[in-house]
């Protein structure tokens, strides 16, 4: 939780939104909140910044601020969990799922045994690298 106008007398001025941007660039993934006495117009501009999660006016009751922060934390956690699941699923799907059948042959042209190949299995990149090439 940062004030927007931290030190406007220095060059460049130090602002809460500027510090949050720097934190995000450094990898901070937590909830970033600005409390400000700025105009309604500036408040709306701050709310549109992608690096800022919550913007409230000075004087906002603490229970309300805590509720906003907790709700944003829950949203971020759900988004991160969904992203991890999607990445895992994409990796598994693109992660080299292959369907084997009796038409495959070894590199020396000898047909494989139907009972060994008439199944679907997931092949890891390491396992695929260790497999001989199959001619078309």
């Amino acid at each position: 939780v940062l004030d927007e106008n931290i030190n406007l007398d220095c060059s460049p001025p130090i602002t809460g939104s500027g510090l949050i941007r720097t934190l995000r660039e450094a990898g901070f993934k937590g909830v970033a909140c600005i409390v400000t006495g700025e105009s309604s117009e500036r408040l709306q501009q701050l709310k549109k910044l992608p690096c800022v999660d919550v913007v409230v006016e000075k004087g906002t009751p603490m229970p309300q601020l805590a509720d906003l922060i907790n709700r944003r934390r829950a949203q971020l956690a759900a988004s991160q969990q969904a992203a991890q699941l999607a990445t895992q699923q994409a990796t598994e799907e693109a992660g080299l799922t292959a369907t084997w059948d009796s038409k495959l042959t070894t590199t020396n042209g000898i047909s494989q045994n139907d009972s060994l190949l008439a199944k679907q299995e997931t092949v890891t990149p390491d396992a695929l690298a260790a497999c001989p090439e199959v001619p078309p």
Side-chain angles (χ1 to χ4, degrees):
V1 176
L2 297 169
D3 186 12
E4 174 60 6
N5 298 314
I6 296 173
N7 187 348
L8 302 179
D9 294 331
C10 63
S11 181
I14 299 172
T15 62
S17 56
L19 288 174
I20 290 170
R21 187 176 304 108
T22 301
L23 287 168
R24 296 286 190 214
E25 289 169 356
F28 178 73
K29 294 184 186 338
V31 175
C33 177
I34 291 181
V35 177
T36 186
E38 293 277 0
S39 68
S40 296
E41 182 180 307
R42 180 67 179 136
L43 201 73
Q44 293 307 313
Q45 290 173 343
L46 290 168
K47 287 181 178 183
K48 292 178 183 177
L49 293 175
C51 61
V52 178
D53 296 302
V54 177
V55 178
V56 296
E57 292 181 84
K58 284 187 178 178
T60 300
M62 283 298 141
Q64 183 181 348
L65 177 58
D67 183 55
L68 289 169
I69 291 171
N70 284 330
R71 278 195 264 152
R72 184 62 182 147
R73 283 182 61 208
Q75 289 171 343
L76 289 173
S79 293
Q80 289 172 349
Q81 194 172 33
Q84 288 173 344
L85 181 60
T87 300
Q88 180 182 359
Q89 288 173 342
T91 301
E92 289 172 358
E93 288 172 8
L96 307 167
T97 298
T99 300
W100 300 96
D101 64 28
S102 62
K103 295 178 183 173
L104 293 178
T105 58
T106 62
T107 52
N108 64 7
I110 300 171
S111 294
Q112 299 294 321
N113 185 324
D114 287 348
S115 65
L116 293 176
L117 296 175
K119 62 181 178 178
Q120 184 175 10
E121 61 187 57
T122 300
V123 181
T124 64
D126 290 339
L128 187 62
C131 293
E133 278 192 40
V134 178

